Amino acid sequence: MKVCILSDFFIPDLQGGGERRYFELSRRLAKKGWEVDVLCMRVQGRPDEEKIDGVNVIRLGPRIKKPPKRTPLDFLRYVSSSLYWLMRHEYSIIDANSYIPFIPAFLGGLLTNTPVVATVHDVYGREWSGRYNPTVAGMLEFILVNIPFKRIITVSRSTRDILTSRYRVPSNRIKVIPTGVDLDYIDSVKAGPRKNNSLLYVGRLIRHKHLE
C-alpha cells in the first residue's frame, strides 16, 4: 500500500495536535510496510525532502519562515505544487488534513482515480476572527467540508454533530476515530510533587484555545 498525506505542516516543523496525530499514524504505517509520503509546506531551515522514522517527508510550494503563519499566496502555491505532485505519482489512497489541503487532494484524487479521505479535527465557524476574515473563512470552511470525499474522518463526536447539523454533511459520510495516546509513554513519566491551587495546561498558546 502506498499512501499520501497532505498537511500544511508536519513534525518537527510545527508541534500541533493534528501534526502529531499524522506523525504517529504515518510512522506506524511505515513500520507495517506501507510506503508513506507526506506533502507539506517548505519551511526555512529544513530540507525539501527527508525521511523521518521511515516516512518520506516532501516539502514543497512556499517557504514559510515562522509556521504556522501563512498568506493567501502561500496557500495558492501549496495547492498548485501538491496537485502537480499528485498528478505525477500513483497512490493507493490520499488523506488530507483540514482545510486547504482538501483542494489539491480532491482534485488529484479525481484526476488520478484515487480514493480520498479528509480529516477534520475541529470546525471554527465565526471563530476564524483574528486570523482571517471570518465571513470568507467560514464560507470556505462550509464549502470544503461538503466536498464529496470518499469519507470524512473526525476525532470527536462533537465535531461530527456540528458537521451534520450546522454544515449539513451526511452522517453516513463521517467516521469518528478518536486520536490515540501512547499509554506506555504516559505511564513512564514520573509525577512531581503536587501543588495546591495550581493549573496545568498542555497545548499551544493561541486564541481559539480559549485559555482565558
Side-chain angles (χ1 to χ4, degrees):
M1 292 286 286
K2 187 175 182 179
V3 60
C4 184
I5 294 172
L6 279 75
S7 179
D8 296 38
F9 300 105
F10 192 66
I11 300 294
D13 304 334
L14 183 66
Q15 296 286 348
E19 290 76 19
R20 172 58 61 177
R21 174 187 174 276
Y22 271 119
F23 172 70
E24 297 295 343
L25 175 63
S26 59
R27 71 187 186 92
R28 283 168 169 77
L29 289 176
K31 287 183 178 179
K32 290 180 177 293
W34 288 41
E35 185 174 350
V36 184
D37 289 350
V38 175
L39 305 184
C40 53
M41 292 185 182
R42 298 162 72 197
V43 174
Q44 186 169 301
R46 302 293 302 178
D48 288 350
E49 294 190 22
E50 66 176 317
K51 188 178 287 289
I52 302 177
D53 278 10
V55 178
N56 303 312
V57 180
I58 299 101
R59 300 181 179 91
L60 35 70
R63 190 174 298 279
I64 308 301
K65 293 182 178 180
K66 296 182 179 180
K69 293 184 178 180
R70 293 145 293 171
T71 67
L73 181 58
D74 292 332
F75 288 130
L76 289 174
R77 292 178 62 191
Y78 173 72
V79 168
S80 60
S81 299
S82 52
L83 176 58
Y84 181 69
W85 176 281
L86 292 173
M87 294 296 296
R88 295 167 52 240
H89 296 81
E90 294 184 3
Y91 292 101
S92 305
I93 190 168
I94 300 170
D95 185 345
N97 194 17
S98 53
Y99 280 101
I100 292 300
F102 285 5
I103 300 172
F106 176 72
L107 294 176
L110 186 67
L111 294 172
T112 61
N113 197 30
T114 305
V116 182
V117 297
T119 299
V120 178
H121 301 277
D122 202 355
V123 287
Y124 299 101
R126 301 295 298 181
E127 292 185 20
W128 286 107
S129 179
R131 291 183 290 171
Y132 307 103
N133 182 296
T135 301
V136 175
M139 291 176 59
L140 182 59
E141 183 179 56
F142 181 89
I143 293 171
L144 291 176
V145 297
N146 278 283
I147 292 175
F149 295 108
K150 180 77 172 179
R151 188 78 67 193
I152 289 180
I153 298 172
T154 187
V155 298
S156 68
R157 290 188 295 272
S158 62
T159 299
R160 176 201 60 193
D161 294 343
I162 293 174
L163 287 172
T164 56
S165 62
R166 189 187 306 171
Y167 292 80
R168 304 174 187 174
V169 179
S171 59
N172 61 356
R173 290 181 48 224
I174 303 173
K175 179 68 174 179
V176 178
I177 304 178
T179 301
V181 294
D182 189 337
L183 295 177
D184 291 336
Y185 177 75
I186 292 175
D187 290 340
S188 70
V189 177
K190 303 301 180 182
R194 186 171 183 176
K195 297 180 180 179
N196 294 325
N197 301 318
S198 62
L199 175 66
L200 173 65
Y201 166 74
V202 180
R204 289 186 290 150
L205 296 175
I206 48 181
R207 179 177 296 180
H208 71 265
K209 297 296 184 181
H210 298 300
L211 290 182
E212 67 278 8

